[in-house]
Amino acid sequence: MAGARLRLLQRRPGAHGACVVARSIQGYRGYSTPAAQAADPSPASDPKGEGAQGKKERPPGTYVIWAMEAIGATAAFMYYLHLYTDLLKPKVEERLNPDKYTPFTLVEREPLTGDTTRFRFRINRPRFNEELEQLADGIIAQGAWALDVKDHLVQTYRTYTPVNYVVATEVDDERGLREGYCDLVVKRYPGGSLSRFLHNTQVGDRVEMRGPILTWPYSPNKYRRLYMVAGGTGIAPMYQLIDRILGDPADLATQVSLLYGSQSEADIIYREQLDELAKRHPERLSIKYLVDRGPASAAQPGRPDARSVGEFVGGFDKSKDVVLVCGPDPMMAAVSGMRPIGPAQGPLRGCLRDLGLAPENVFKF
């Protein structure tokens, strides 16, 4: 019956007849048996162009393209991590930490006098400053600072002021860090546990240190003049401050006067560096050297005492100036009185009290 109907429709002439034929053929296929549909290879049996599994056939090379895209995205992400983070770098050690002791490597030692040595320790920083570096930088920015140095053999420590602290600007890409250093100037005392420990330390050894520790708050242009009275290795905090003040373009008003006592002219620590700073800033830095003994070309005989200190602070203004004192115990006792262990300053004594200065006019390191 269906075949007779098809032949009948095919005899109808014209374009309209052709459309009718096409629709009739589609109807014929729609009403055909399942077996006939399965045997029919025409597109009508797969109207969506799908295969036997119901999935589209993908163009050749599709998986290769996907793999290349994944590799490219991964490479771009790894490059981003390398360029803007330190996640792919080894852990950076030997970083300043004010909350716990950290081992630092001694990279250089230089004798300065017969009993005093400069020790240079490596200080690392990650390529990008992290919370630890921000904490340390914040403390250093507040004023004079120091480090607690520990003798791990007997578990005791002493506080030393670095004369220099240098942060490298060049990055070691392989290790993902910037390698800097700090210098400690230490005199060897026969009965000094920490000083003997450090003087027995060799290049390559590691020493535990904690810091930075704020020792004296300072802000640019806070004082008209800083009067510094130093003896021996007591030059360390003075030099740190002098170098900081004269190197700060925002601190142009502060002037510094230094009275520095040593045993002999050969024992003047960091004299070359001090003279260079005074030469570059003659209007802001004045230095007077005193020596106990021996010939002296640029130093005067004597020591910090009532006479020399009185002359030194002759122009002191209590409302605008401050006196800083650091040196061996006999000098401290004669000039300002001893400072007790801990944060307290102790009572003001010595020639500074006799000259009429108040405790708030003097700071003891």
Side-chain angles (χ1 to χ4, degrees):
M1 180 66 180
R5 180 185 176 197
L6 177 60
R7 287 193 294 273
L8 178 62
L9 292 172
Q10 287 175 337
R11 285 196 294 266
R12 295 174 61 182
H16 175 71
C19 294
V20 173
V21 170
R23 287 195 296 269
S24 299
I25 293 174
Q26 292 174 0
Y28 168 74
R29 287 176 177 154
Y31 286 100
S32 61
T33 63
Q37 292 181 10
D40 188 354
S42 64
S45 63
D46 192 7
K48 296 183 180 180
E50 298 181 355
Q53 301 300 323
K55 297 181 180 179
K56 289 186 178 181
E57 294 184 2
R58 298 181 176 88
T62 299
Y63 294 105
V64 175
I65 295 173
W66 286 358
M68 293 177 65
E69 291 176 346
I71 293 172
T74 302
F77 181 64
M78 298 294 284
Y79 180 71
Y80 171 84
L81 293 180
H82 168 77
L83 199 61
Y84 296 106
T85 74
D86 290 324
L87 295 177
L88 303 181
K89 303 298 181 182
K91 182 181 178 181
V92 178
E93 299 180 343
E94 299 182 309
R95 300 160 61 185
L96 290 177
N97 189 329
D99 297 323
K100 71 174 185 178
Y101 284 98
T102 303
F104 293 91
T105 302
L106 179 66
V107 295
E108 183 180 311
R109 52 180 294 165
E110 176 192 11
L112 301 179
T113 69
D115 55 10
T116 302
T117 301
R118 176 183 61 82
F119 297 90
R120 176 165 292 180
F121 291 93
R122 179 167 55 223
I123 305 291
N124 291 329
R125 296 171 72 100
R127 180 172 49 166
F128 302 102
N129 288 337
E130 299 178 1
E131 183 176 354
L132 199 58
E133 282 65 42
Q134 295 173 4
L135 177 61
D137 290 347
I139 294 173
I140 292 173
Q142 295 179 49
W145 59 282
L147 296 169
D148 286 338
V149 181
K150 183 169 76 171
D151 178 357
H152 65 278
L153 300 177
V154 296
Q155 294 299 310
T156 186
Y157 77 93
R158 182 171 178 175
T159 303
Y160 290 96
T161 301
V163 289
N164 290 325
Y165 173 52
V166 175
V167 178
T169 56
E170 296 184 0
V171 176
D172 185 333
D173 286 327
E174 183 177 346
R175 295 186 295 165
L177 57 80
R178 292 170 286 164
E179 184 176 306
Y181 64 85
C182 76
D183 291 336
L184 302 182
V185 173
V186 181
K187 179 177 179 178
R188 180 167 190 156
Y189 292 95
S193 173
L194 254 298
S195 68
R196 286 187 288 109
F197 165 74
L198 284 174
H199 278 261
N200 290 331
T201 303
Q202 302 302 315
V203 172
D205 292 345
R206 306 184 83 187
V207 175
E208 294 184 53
M209 295 188 287
R210 177 179 61 190
I213 302 163
L214 183 66
T215 54
W216 184 61
Y218 174 79
S219 56
N221 306 306
K222 181 178 181 180
Y223 300 100
R224 183 198 66 161
R225 182 178 293 273
L226 273 61
Y227 290 87
M228 299 179 172
V229 182
T233 54
I235 191 62
M238 309 306 185
Y239 183 85
Q240 184 192 101
L241 280 167
I242 292 171
D243 190 47
R244 175 199 190 109
I245 292 169
L246 298 181
D248 186 354
D251 195 355
L252 299 177
T254 307
Q255 296 181 326
V256 180
S257 296
L258 172 64
L259 181 66
Y260 184 18
S262 303
Q263 293 183 5
S264 69
E265 195 165 23
D267 293 315
I268 299 176
I269 301 169
Y270 267 47
R271 178 174 182 175
E272 182 178 345
Q273 293 88 337
L274 288 167
D275 289 345
E276 178 62 26
L277 288 172
K279 182 179 178 180
R280 296 206 313 259
H281 307 275
E283 72 288 350
R284 300 186 60 197
L285 174 61
S286 61
I287 303 175
K288 183 177 182 180
Y289 298 113
L290 298 177
V291 294
D292 289 346
R293 63 180 187 273
S297 59
Q300 298 180 13
R303 62 182 60 182
D305 55 19
R307 181 185 61 82
S308 61
V309 172
E311 294 176 356
F312 177 65
V313 299
F316 185 83
D317 187 328
K318 293 184 178 181
S319 63
K320 300 178 181 179
D321 303 334
V322 66
V323 178
L324 307 177
V325 188
C326 187
D329 290 351
M331 190 206 84
M332 295 293 293
V335 174
S336 61
M338 298 293 294
R339 174 177 175 172
I341 297 176
Q345 285 283 293
L348 178 63
R349 295 193 174 100
C351 62
L352 289 178
R353 182 191 62 180
D354 297 340
L355 290 168
L357 274 70
E360 59 268 20
N361 302 136
V362 179
F363 183 84
K364 311 172 194 177
F365 283 101

